[in-house]
Amino acid sequence: MSARPVAATATAVAASADSDPCCAAPLPVLGRDVTVPLVTGGEVTYAALDYAASAPALQRVWDDVAAYAPYYGSVHRGAGYLSQLSTDLFENSRATVHSFLDCRDGDQVVFTRSTTDSLNLLAAVLPADCQVFVFETEHHASLLPWSDARVTYLNAPRTPEEAVRTLEHALAERDPYGPALVCVTGASNVTGELWPVKELAAAAHAHGARIVLDAAQLAPHHPVSVKESDVDWVAFSGHKLYAPFGSGVLAGRADWLQDAEPYLAGGGASRKVSRRADGGVDVEWHTTAARHEAGSPNVIGVYAIASACKALTEAGFDALVERERHLIAKVREGLAEVPQVRVLSLFGDEAPRVGVISFVVDGWNSSHFAAALSAEYGIGVRDGLFCAHPLVRTLLGSDPQEVGECGAPEAEPGERSLNAIRVSFGAGTPDEHVERFVGAVRELVREGAKWTYHTEDGRCVPAV
């Protein structure tokens, strides 16, 4: 998807002292000065390289939330000044997200708890007998919610063009008269590779299907335009978009949302409730986004998402994307210099991607390697199957029943690994963090771990 033109602020594009002059400075995030102890002695500034799981909150977002906190009040239900202020802030945040996603007129923005919650909401409002098409490469958040529908799981494609052909073939064989939905990621949470969203949307619509975009990994790195990509819905989480935990978004077409029973029944979703003569209750539900937002909303979380949307827009995605390409190149070039490292990919080395890279190291248990990066170098990454088990097992060729032990290498050099290591970064990552990571990988492979590790509660940890 091409980027919408966004003006970059002078602060965002100012060259940082530790990066290429062509690249923007990292955005200020919480925790950038936190130090952590090393098992080998001393402390080091923590290198947070697990953005794909949860990105650190932007300082701008935290400051905005702190400024609002004294004015916190109930939403939609109070006559007092603080309640009215909070209601305005909540609804203005909805408008901000609508603009950030470049939604169509008439599209609804529903606030949820997360991407997972958003996609489960959409699954709950599917029309009867809806067919769902989803690639096995999806995160579990978009792979698993469709149990009440007729689901077709599509095999992992090896090129973007194959992804489009696979979907077209599957849709051509479906019942053309029933409703259908395609669910696809915008950027893989395992490989970071960008998917051909616009082309998949065109294929879906050509066969009478709708499409929902899982933008959890895309929205923090690239602009997302509902209009330009022509998707019907988009879902993402605040905690990956540099906002604190607890809020998500489902935005898109209103008709299926309006036609279905509320996702949750309760106050806020109901417009009018009355007793019947027979003792029952009649309910008139809202037709707006409130229909699926029962209960007191997470106004702090919603405002944090809106603040993050504004911060990224003002920073300018062109500058943020360019800086991220600079970091991706540093990591990939550094890993390429270590023969024992194999980077995982569906679409190949030249495929465009965001700052998410997964890899295995010959002769190393991935949990052991990640534990050593943390304990000996102060670097936080993730190991395992990344809530995308079918995809990672396809890339690794591993069996679901196989497990690895922490304390010793799980495989001989050249043999396949049973899980993987993921390094991920974004708008708040300084060059020093990725440089330290590349140096640590090189040193661990060459010299081995300096400490002893064992398995404790299913995790690899340094021995006391």
Side-chain angles (χ1 to χ4, degrees):
M1 301 191 309
S2 61
R4 301 193 307 276
V6 181
T9 65
T11 301
V13 299
S16 64
D18 65 343
S19 65
D20 190 298
C22 73
C23 297
L27 299 184
V29 294
L30 294 183
R32 58 190 180 275
D33 298 323
V34 167
T35 60
V36 294
L38 303 180
V39 292
T40 50
E43 293 187 343
V44 67
T45 303
Y46 184 64
L49 296 178
D50 194 16
Y51 276 48
S54 289
L58 288 172
Q59 185 68 54
R60 152 78 177 273
V61 172
W62 196 254
D63 291 344
D64 283 350
V65 167
Y68 162 65
Y71 301 92
Y72 178 88
S74 62
V75 175
H76 297 148
R77 293 167 178 81
Y81 178 80
L82 297 192
S83 292
Q84 294 179 48
L85 186 148
S86 295
T87 298
D88 286 346
L89 180 137
F90 186 80
E91 293 304 330
N92 286 337
S93 295
R94 197 189 306 277
T96 296
V97 174
H98 192 284
S99 175
F100 178 76
L101 295 174
D102 195 25
C103 290
R104 301 165 291 250
D105 292 342
D107 281 347
Q108 288 187 347
V109 172
V110 181
F111 290 116
T112 65
R113 295 180 298 169
S114 60
T115 307
T116 301
D117 196 33
S118 296
L119 293 171
N120 276 269
L121 163 57
L122 186 59
V125 305
L126 293 180
D129 203 33
C130 186
Q131 291 180 267
V132 176
F133 297 84
V134 56
F135 286 92
E136 68 171 357
T137 47
E138 294 291 311
H139 185 281
H140 293 171
S142 46
L143 187 71
L144 302 180
W146 320 106
S147 57
D148 291 336
R150 291 183 291 153
V151 186
T152 298
Y153 295 105
L154 307 176
N155 292 333
R158 289 297 179 168
T159 66
E161 294 77 16
E162 184 184 344
V164 177
R165 289 195 303 269
T166 298
L167 178 62
E168 288 177 331
H169 178 74
L171 290 172
E173 295 186 339
R174 80 173 186 91
D175 179 353
Y177 301 105
L181 177 71
V182 177
C183 182
V184 67
T185 189
S188 171
N189 78 305
V190 176
T191 67
E193 293 163 320
L194 298 175
W195 278 62
V197 175
K198 190 171 183 177
E199 291 79 4
L200 291 168
H205 294 154
H207 291 85
R210 296 190 180 190
I211 186 168
V212 57
L213 169 63
D214 176 353
Q217 298 296 338
L218 181 64
H221 304 273
H222 285 259
V224 174
S225 171
V226 171
K227 290 178 183 175
E228 185 178 336
S229 62
D230 200 24
V231 296
D232 297 280
W233 293 277
V234 60
F236 70 87
S237 294
H239 72 97
K240 298 186 193 298
L241 195 78
Y242 309 103
F245 287 96
S247 284
V249 168
L250 176 67
R253 300 196 182 278
D255 53 351
W256 285 8
L257 294 168
Q258 292 176 348
D259 292 342
E261 290 294 301
Y263 184 45
L264 296 173
S270 55
R271 190 173 176 182
K272 180 181 178 182
V273 180
S274 57
R275 290 291 300 274
R276 297 195 304 263
D278 63 5
V281 175
D282 286 323
V283 184
E284 181 182 335
W285 302 107
H286 279 293
T287 58
T288 63
R291 185 183 188 90
H292 299 289
E293 294 178 344
S296 295
N298 179 3
V299 60
I300 290 285
V302 165
Y303 182 46
I305 286 181
S307 174
C309 290
K310 290 180 180 178
L312 293 174
T313 301
E314 291 170 6
F317 268 107
D318 286 347
L320 296 176
V321 168
E322 184 60 30
R323 171 165 177 77
E324 190 167 306
R325 286 178 181 150
H326 162 76
L327 296 177
I328 291 170
K330 276 198 171 193
V331 173
R332 289 179 61 83
E333 289 167 6
L335 294 180
E337 294 174 356
V338 184
Q340 295 86 347
V341 170
R342 176 168 69 93
V343 173
L344 305 183
S345 176
L346 270 176
F347 299 156
D349 290 342
E350 301 306 314
R353 65 193 72 229
V354 300
V356 179
I357 298 169
S358 296
F359 63 98
V360 293
V361 183
D362 281 352
W364 276 84
N365 175 288
S366 295
S367 180
H368 186 195
F369 200 89
L373 285 173
S374 174
E376 300 178 27
Y377 299 91
I379 299 170
V381 297
R382 186 171 175 187
D383 66 277
L385 301 175
F386 318 126
C387 293
H389 295 186
L391 171 57
V392 179
R393 286 172 177 146
T394 294
L395 295 173
L396 296 180
S398 61
D399 186 272
Q401 282 71 49
E402 293 179 323
V403 295
E405 290 298 325
C406 156
E410 65 180 8
E412 294 299 320
E415 292 184 349
R416 60 192 171 93
S417 182
L418 306 181
N419 50 29
I421 306 149
R422 184 181 70 190
V423 57
S424 53
F425 40 87
T429 305
D431 282 42
E432 188 275 327
H433 287 185
V434 299
E435 290 164 358
R436 193 197 319 170
F437 164 76
V438 170
V441 170
R442 186 182 299 114
E443 192 170 281
L444 279 172
V445 170
R446 183 178 64 243
E447 302 177 9
K450 301 179 180 67
W451 206 258
T452 302
Y453 296 81
H454 67 275
T455 302
E456 185 176 294
D457 296 329
R459 293 293 306 163
C460 188
V461 297
V464 177

